[in-house]
């Protein structure tokens, strides 16, 4: 049986509706994960939940221990990962409140521990990352978004930047020129670490602001928090549909 793990990002440090049976405080060879892993029932299905930035939200994107997070989820029994990410919209279709299920990613991060395959190896290991997201999970997210009547795009390129600052307008021009449709700070190395652990992984991205230069207004945390508040309820409903499909 598939055991889904949900990784909650900004605005989803708690999974409302999760009936918690167990809180797991785990240690891994890579240190401690961002928070305890919660095991419980959601939408009538067993799930694991992890707050990517901790609970309360306190760990910035470049300080998240992604290796410990993914390792601990697999250790707890996860066999598939559904990641929720708050992002900025670059493509004109990616307005505030729009959902995207990306099919590709471009990594602009630096200095993050991004692989399990680096020390005490018997042989050098390379993983195929041509298609970073699991297509079966992607299709289930797309079907759930359609069933919920959400505005969404079933494909898109996620540009992952270092953070924690937001991007400059010139950087967003470069991202757009590179083919990115959305921009966030947490998509990598999370996706590739899941691949190294052979865990199917897909992303549900909620656009919470126009990327820099895509609006004449300043980007404020108040506006972002309002968009998160309006969108995360829909995200929870979508996740529920995926689990029961």
């Amino acid at each position: 049986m598939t055991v889904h793990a949900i990784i909650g990002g900004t605005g989803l440090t708690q999974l409302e509706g999760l009936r918690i049976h167990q809180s797991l405080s785990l240690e891994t060879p890579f240190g401690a994960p961002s928070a305890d892993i919660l095991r419980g029932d959601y939408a009538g299905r067993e799930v694991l939940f992890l707050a990517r930035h901790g609970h309360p939200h306190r760990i910035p994107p470049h300080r998240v221990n992604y290796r410990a997070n993914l390792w601990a989820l697999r250790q707890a029994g996860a066999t598939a990962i559904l990641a929720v990410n708050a992002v900025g919209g670059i493509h004109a279709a990616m307005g505030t409140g729009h959902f995207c299920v990306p099919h590709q990613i471009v990594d602009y991060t630096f200095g993050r521990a991004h692989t399990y395959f680096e020390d005490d190896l018997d042989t050098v290991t390379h993983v195929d990352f041509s298609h970073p997201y699991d297509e079966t999970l992607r299709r289930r997210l797309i079907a759930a978004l359609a069933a919920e009547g959400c505005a969404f795009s079933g494909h898109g390129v996620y540009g992952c930047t270092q953070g924690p600052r937001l991007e400059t307008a010139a950087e967003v021009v470069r991202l757009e020129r590179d083919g990115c449709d959305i921009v966030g700070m947490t998509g990598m190395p999370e996706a590739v670490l899941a691949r190294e652990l052979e865990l199917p992984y897909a992303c549900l991205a909620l656009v919470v602001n126009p990327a820099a230069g895509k609006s004449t207004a300043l980007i404020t945390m108040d506006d972002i928090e309002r968009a998160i508040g309006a969108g995360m309820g829909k995200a929870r409903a979508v996740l529920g549909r995926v689990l029961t499909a």
Side-chain angles (χ1 to χ4, degrees), residues 58-69:
R58 58 184 172 78
I59 306 172
H62 67 298
R63 291 293 194 184
V64 171
N65 191 339
Y66 296 96
R67 292 195 299 183
N69 284 355

Side-chain angles (χ1 to χ4, degrees), residues 34-239:
S34 297
D36 286 356
I37 294 172
L38 303 180
R39 185 193 306 278
D41 291 332
Y42 186 71
R45 297 291 188 273
E46 179 187 5
V47 298
L48 301 167
F49 178 77
L50 175 63
R52 183 187 289 117
H53 298 280
H55 180 60
H57 186 286
R58 58 184 172 78
I59 306 172
H62 67 298
R63 291 293 194 184
V64 171
N65 191 339
Y66 296 96
R67 292 195 299 183
N69 284 355
L70 273 296
W71 191 276
L73 285 171
R74 189 183 68 165
Q75 186 177 330
T79 59
I81 308 289
L82 295 166
V84 181
N85 301 73
V87 299
I90 299 175
H91 191 281
M94 305 293 174
T96 299
H98 194 83
F99 285 95
C100 180
V101 183
H103 71 292
Q104 279 293 339
I105 196 164
V106 182
D107 187 9
Y108 300 94
T109 65
F110 52 89
R112 300 184 182 189
H114 65 281
T115 182
Y116 295 110
F117 300 125
E118 58 182 3
D119 296 317
D120 301 320
L121 301 178
D122 294 327
T123 183
V124 175
T125 302
H126 304 282
V127 296
D128 182 0
F129 204 51
S130 303
H131 304 285
Y133 300 107
D134 181 79
E135 190 60 22
T136 299
L137 280 181
R138 275 189 6 90
R139 292 296 167 191
R140 290 170 62 192
L141 283 168
I142 290 167
L145 284 161
E148 284 295 319
C150 298
F152 74 94
S153 297
H155 66 279
V157 179
Y158 182 136
C160 188
T161 58
Q162 179 72 356
R165 67 168 178 83
L166 298 177
E167 300 71 36
T168 68
E171 287 169 335
V172 170
V173 169
R174 180 187 68 160
L175 291 168
E176 187 169 27
R177 188 170 59 241
D178 287 351
C180 298
D181 300 299
I182 55 176
V183 56
M185 303 174 189
T186 54
M188 286 291 286
E190 196 171 88
V192 72
L193 292 170
R195 179 62 52 86
E196 288 185 351
L197 293 178
E198 300 182 348
L199 293 171
Y201 176 98
C203 166
L204 176 63
L206 170 66
V207 179
V208 298
N209 63 275
K214 292 299 177 181
S215 169
T216 56
L218 290 175
I219 300 171
T220 70
M221 288 309 300
D222 285 345
D223 290 339
I224 290 174
E225 287 169 5
R226 277 193 291 271
I228 288 171
M232 282 305 169
K234 296 177 183 177
R236 290 191 294 268
V238 168
L239 292 170

